[in-house]
Coordinates of all heavy atoms in Angstrom, one line a residue:
Q412 N -23.2 -173.9 59.4 CA -24.4 -174.7 59.3 C -25.6 -173.8 58.9 O -26.5 -174.3 58.2 CB -24.6 -175.5 60.6 CG -23.6 -176.5 60.8 CD -23.7 -177.2 62.1 OE1 -24.6 -176.8 62.9 NE2 -22.9 -178.2 62.4
E413 N -25.6 -172.6 59.5 CA -26.7 -171.7 59.2 C -26.6 -171.0 57.9 O -27.6 -170.6 57.3 CB -26.8 -170.7 60.4 CG -27.1 -171.3 61.7 CD -27.0 -170.3 62.9 OE1 -26.8 -169.1 62.6 OE2 -27.3 -170.7 64.0
E414 N -25.4 -170.6 57.5 CA -25.2 -169.9 56.2 C -24.2 -170.7 55.3 O -23.3 -171.3 55.8 CB -24.6 -168.5 56.5 CG -25.5 -167.6 57.4 CD -24.8 -166.3 57.6 OE1 -24.0 -165.9 56.8 OE2 -25.2 -165.6 58.6
T415 N -24.6 -170.7 54.1 CA -23.7 -171.4 53.1 C -22.8 -170.5 52.3 O -22.0 -170.9 51.5 CB -24.6 -172.2 52.1 OG1 -25.5 -171.3 51.5 CG2 -25.4 -173.2 52.8
G416 N -23.0 -169.2 52.4 CA -22.3 -168.2 51.7 C -20.9 -168.1 52.2 O -20.5 -168.5 53.3
K417 N -20.0 -167.4 51.5 CA -18.6 -167.1 51.9 C -18.6 -166.0 52.9 O -19.2 -165.0 52.8 CB -17.8 -166.7 50.6 CG -16.3 -166.5 50.9 CD -15.5 -166.1 49.7 CE -14.1 -165.9 50.0 NZ -13.3 -165.5 48.8
T418 N -17.8 -166.2 54.0 CA -17.7 -165.3 55.1 C -16.4 -164.6 55.0 O -15.4 -165.2 54.7 CB -18.0 -165.9 56.4 OG1 -17.0 -167.0 56.6 CG2 -19.4 -166.6 56.5
D419 N -16.4 -163.3 55.4 CA -15.1 -162.6 55.6 C -14.4 -162.9 56.8 O -14.9 -163.5 57.8 CB -15.4 -161.0 55.6 CG -16.0 -160.6 54.3 OD1 -15.7 -161.2 53.2 OD2 -16.8 -159.6 54.3
V420 N -13.1 -162.6 56.9 CA -12.3 -162.9 58.1 C -12.8 -162.1 59.2 O -13.0 -160.9 59.1 CB -10.8 -162.6 57.8 CG1 -10.0 -162.8 59.1 CG2 -10.2 -163.4 56.7
N421 N -13.1 -162.7 60.3 CA -13.6 -162.0 61.5 C -12.6 -161.0 62.0 O -11.5 -161.3 62.2 CB -14.0 -163.1 62.6 CG -14.7 -162.4 63.7 OD1 -14.1 -161.7 64.5 ND2 -16.0 -162.8 63.8
E422 N -13.1 -159.8 62.2 CA -12.2 -158.7 62.6 C -11.6 -159.0 64.0 O -10.5 -158.7 64.3 CB -13.0 -157.4 62.6 CG -12.1 -156.2 62.9 CD -12.8 -154.8 62.8 OE1 -14.0 -154.8 62.4 OE2 -12.2 -153.8 63.2
E423 N -12.5 -159.5 64.9 CA -12.0 -159.9 66.2 C -10.8 -160.9 66.1 O -9.9 -160.8 66.9 CB -13.1 -160.4 67.1 CG -14.1 -159.3 67.5 CD -15.0 -159.8 68.6 OE1 -15.0 -161.0 68.9 OE2 -15.8 -158.9 69.1
D424 N -11.0 -161.9 65.3 CA -9.9 -162.9 65.1 C -8.7 -162.2 64.6 O -7.6 -162.6 65.0 CB -10.4 -164.0 64.1 CG -11.5 -164.8 64.6 OD1 -11.7 -164.8 65.9 OD2 -12.2 -165.5 63.8
F425 N -8.8 -161.2 63.7 CA -7.6 -160.5 63.2 C -6.9 -159.8 64.3 O -5.6 -159.9 64.4 CB -8.1 -159.6 62.1 CG -7.0 -158.7 61.6 CD1 -6.0 -159.2 60.8 CD2 -6.9 -157.3 62.0 CE1 -4.9 -158.4 60.3 CE2 -5.9 -156.5 61.5 CZ -4.9 -157.0 60.7
H426 N -7.6 -159.1 65.2 CA -7.0 -158.4 66.3 C -6.4 -159.3 67.3 O -5.3 -159.1 67.9 CB -8.0 -157.5 67.0 CG -8.3 -156.2 66.1 ND1 -7.4 -155.3 65.8 CD2 -9.5 -155.9 65.5 CE1 -8.0 -154.3 65.1 NE2 -9.2 -154.7 64.9
L427 N -7.0 -160.5 67.5 CA -6.5 -161.5 68.4 C -5.2 -162.0 67.9 O -4.2 -162.3 68.6 CB -7.5 -162.6 68.7 CG -8.6 -162.3 69.7 CD1 -9.6 -163.4 69.7 CD2 -8.1 -162.0 71.1
K428 N -5.1 -162.2 66.6 CA -3.9 -162.7 66.0 C -2.7 -161.7 66.2 O -1.6 -162.1 66.5 CB -4.1 -163.0 64.5 CG -2.9 -163.6 63.8 CD -3.1 -163.8 62.3 CE -1.9 -164.5 61.7 NZ -0.6 -163.8 61.9
I429 N -3.0 -160.4 66.0 CA -2.0 -159.4 66.2 C -1.5 -159.5 67.7 O -0.3 -159.4 67.9 CB -2.6 -158.0 65.9 CG1 -2.8 -157.9 64.4 CG2 -1.6 -156.9 66.4 CD1 -3.5 -156.6 64.0
L430 N -2.5 -159.6 68.6 CA -2.1 -159.6 70.0 C -1.2 -160.9 70.3 O -0.2 -160.8 71.0 CB -3.4 -159.7 70.9 CG -3.2 -159.9 72.4 CD1 -2.3 -158.9 73.0 CD2 -4.5 -160.0 73.1
K431 N -1.6 -162.0 69.7 CA -0.8 -163.2 69.9 C 0.6 -163.1 69.4 O 1.6 -163.4 70.0 CB -1.5 -164.4 69.2 CG -0.7 -165.7 69.4 CD -1.4 -166.9 68.7 CE -0.6 -168.1 68.8 NZ -1.2 -169.3 68.1
D432 N 0.7 -162.5 68.2 CA 2.1 -162.3 67.6 C 2.9 -161.4 68.5 O 4.1 -161.7 68.7 CB 1.9 -161.7 66.2 CG 1.3 -162.6 65.2 OD1 1.2 -163.8 65.5 OD2 0.9 -162.1 64.1
I433 N 2.4 -160.3 69.0 CA 3.1 -159.4 69.8 C 3.5 -160.1 71.1 O 4.6 -160.0 71.6 CB 2.3 -158.1 70.1 CG1 2.1 -157.4 68.8 CG2 3.0 -157.2 71.1 CD1 1.1 -156.2 68.9
C434 N 2.5 -160.8 71.7 CA 2.7 -161.5 73.0 C 3.9 -162.5 72.8 O 4.7 -162.7 73.7 CB 1.4 -162.1 73.4 SG 1.4 -162.9 75.0
C435 N 3.8 -163.3 71.7 CA 4.8 -164.3 71.5 C 6.2 -163.7 71.3 O 7.2 -164.3 71.8 CB 4.5 -165.2 70.3 SG 3.1 -166.3 70.6
E436 N 6.3 -162.7 70.6 CA 7.6 -162.0 70.4 C 8.2 -161.6 71.7 O 9.4 -161.8 71.9 CB 7.4 -160.8 69.4 CG 8.8 -160.1 69.1 CD 8.6 -158.9 68.2 OE1 7.5 -158.5 67.9 OE2 9.7 -158.4 67.8
L437 N 7.4 -160.9 72.5 CA 8.0 -160.4 73.8 C 8.3 -161.6 74.7 O 9.4 -161.6 75.3 CB 7.0 -159.5 74.5 CG 7.4 -159.0 75.9 CD1 8.7 -158.3 75.9 CD2 6.3 -158.1 76.5
L438 N 7.5 -162.6 74.8 CA 7.7 -163.8 75.6 C 9.0 -164.5 75.2 O 9.8 -164.9 76.0 CB 6.5 -164.7 75.6 CG 6.7 -166.0 76.4 CD1 6.8 -165.7 77.9 CD2 5.4 -166.9 76.2
S439 N 9.2 -164.7 73.9 CA 10.4 -165.4 73.4 C 11.7 -164.6 73.8 O 12.7 -165.2 74.2 CB 10.3 -165.6 71.9 OG 10.4 -164.3 71.2
N440 N 11.6 -163.3 73.6 CA 12.8 -162.5 74.0 C 13.1 -162.6 75.5 O 14.3 -162.6 75.9 CB 12.5 -161.0 73.6 CG 12.6 -160.8 72.1 OD1 13.2 -161.6 71.4 ND2 12.0 -159.8 71.6
M441 N 12.1 -162.6 76.3 CA 12.3 -162.6 77.7 C 12.8 -164.0 78.2 O 13.7 -164.1 79.0 CB 11.0 -162.3 78.5 CG 10.5 -160.8 78.2 SD 9.2 -160.3 79.3 CE 10.1 -160.0 80.9
L442 N 12.2 -165.1 77.6 CA 12.7 -166.4 77.9 C 14.1 -166.6 77.6 O 14.9 -167.3 78.3 CB 11.8 -167.5 77.2 CG 10.4 -167.6 77.7 CD1 9.6 -168.7 76.9 CD2 10.3 -168.0 79.2
Q443 N 14.5 -166.0 76.5 CA 15.9 -166.2 76.0 C 16.9 -165.5 77.0 O 18.1 -165.9 77.0 CB 16.1 -165.6 74.6 CG 17.3 -166.1 73.8 CD 17.2 -165.8 72.4 OE1 16.4 -164.9 71.9 NE2 17.9 -166.5 71.6
E444 N 16.5 -164.6 77.8 CA 17.4 -163.9 78.7 C 17.4 -164.5 80.1 O 18.1 -164.0 80.9 CB 17.0 -162.4 78.7 CG 17.1 -161.7 77.4 CD 18.5 -161.8 76.8 OE1 19.4 -161.6 77.5 OE2 18.6 -162.1 75.6

Side-chain angles (χ1 to χ4, degrees):
Q412 292 174 355
E413 296 174 0
E414 298 181 23
T415 57
K417 183 179 179 181
T418 58
D419 295 330
V420 176
N421 188 288
E422 186 177 351
E423 287 192 352
D424 292 344
F425 174 73
H426 287 296
L427 282 174
K428 182 181 184 305
I429 292 176
L430 174 58
K431 179 180 177 180
D432 291 345
I433 296 171
C434 188
C435 286
E436 180 181 7
L437 177 55
L438 179 60
S439 69
N440 287 337
M441 296 191 76
L442 289 179
Q443 199 164 19
E444 299 303 315

